Amino acid sequence: MAILSRQHTSIAVLLALASAVLLIRSVDALQGCGGSCRRHADCSGRLACMSGKCGDDPGVGTHICRQQGGGGTCKPSGSFRAPAVVPCNSDNMSDCCKPLAKYHKYTCSPRVSNATSAILTLNGFDAGQDGGGASSCDGKYHRNTERVVALSTGWFANRRRCGRQIQISASNGRSVLATVVDECDSRAGCDRMHAGQPPCIMNDVDASAAVWSALGISESDSRYGYLKVTWKDV
């Protein structure tokens, strides 16, 4: 019986290892931007499967793989794999990391101009919300009624934009001034510090609900939470 028990244990271990290998191989396809795919579900985040490759979704208007204007492309600086268990705060329609999936990271962002192309996303900056910890610029939490933003790592520029205002403009003609209080980390993610969310894209302006309201984009709007905008330093 002891021999049979050891054999069963060995078989169970081998099956578990085989399952883990298959899982890792299957989630590798989730790593968009050129990754092989057969359906949209194979691609990470807001990417779409087109002609067998993951890329920007024309239906959503993403610029994750290809940044149009504002200084050309910004290439990944590397990648990392998410842990097997990812605690995630999915408030504000935030994406959660997929277990064992591989994610690109960026240290750069497109060149800043008087009309820098960006993707405006929605973030909660208060305690317990999807923004994670306190804002890195001032060590404080901020209410949803405050017009504050976090910028992708390259644009955050090693805290040089901390406390500065930027002007964000939408295609509906509305503009708003917002204060930079945090970094939208493009270099790390999928951990508790980052609320279980993937690294930010390299051209992200992560904004509070007050910024969206000032731009005239309500929660009932299909664009709420993900919008093409331009921004500039003030």
Side-chain angles (χ1 to χ4, degrees):
M1 294 296 292
I3 294 175
L4 288 175
S5 178
R6 285 196 295 270
Q7 288 177 337
H8 290 160
T9 301
S10 298
I11 292 172
V13 171
L14 289 173
L15 288 174
L17 289 173
S19 297
V21 170
L22 289 174
L23 178 59
I24 289 173
R25 287 179 177 174
S26 68
V27 296
D28 276 343
L30 295 174
Q31 299 317 300
C33 294
S36 298
C37 62
R38 289 181 296 177
R39 55 182 182 169
H40 293 326
D42 293 333
C43 302
S44 64
R46 298 175 183 272
L47 301 182
C49 184
M50 297 175 292
S51 301
K53 297 291 184 181
C54 294
D56 290 320
D57 187 347
V60 179
T62 56
H63 291 73
I64 298 170
C65 301
R66 179 172 59 88
Q67 170 64 24
Q68 297 179 340
T73 60
C74 171
K75 296 182 179 180
S77 58
S79 63
F80 67 92
R81 194 178 297 282
V85 179
V86 184
C88 181
N89 187 328
S90 58
D91 290 348
N92 295 317
M93 301 174 288
S94 298
D95 290 329
C96 292
C97 290
K98 297 176 176 65
L100 301 180
K102 190 186 297 179
Y103 290 92
H104 291 304
K105 53 185 179 180
Y106 296 85
T107 57
C108 58
S109 292
R111 177 174 52 84
V112 175
S113 67
N114 286 329
T116 309
S117 297
I119 298 297
L120 190 72
T121 54
L122 178 64
N123 187 51
F125 292 84
D126 211 344
Q129 294 189 317
D130 60 307
S135 297
S136 60
C137 288
D138 56 13
K140 299 178 180 179
Y141 292 102
H142 295 270
R143 296 185 300 274
N144 293 330
T145 54
E146 298 180 60
R147 296 177 181 178
V148 293
V149 297
L151 296 179
S152 293
T153 295
W155 287 339
F156 190 62
N158 197 25
R159 301 174 60 86
R160 287 197 295 274
R161 284 194 168 87
C162 272
R164 294 175 58 175
Q165 285 194 320
I166 64 171
Q167 179 176 303
I168 304 165
S169 300
S171 59
N172 61 5
R174 301 279 289 271
S175 296
V176 60
L177 294 180
T179 303
V180 178
V181 297
D182 206 356
E183 174 184 7
C184 193
D185 199 344
S186 307
R187 300 168 296 179
C190 303
D191 54 17
R192 192 173 299 278
M193 179 181 294
H194 297 87
Q197 298 168 20
C200 292
I201 57 176
M202 78 288 196
N203 59 331
D204 198 339
V205 176
D206 210 13
S208 65
V211 171
W212 284 88
S213 178
L215 289 174
I217 309 295
S218 66
E219 292 186 40
S220 61
D221 194 311
S222 62
R223 299 170 297 173
Y224 190 75
Y226 201 84
L227 179 70
K228 290 191 290 185
V229 296
T230 61
W231 71 275
K232 65 179 181 180
D233 289 308
V234 176

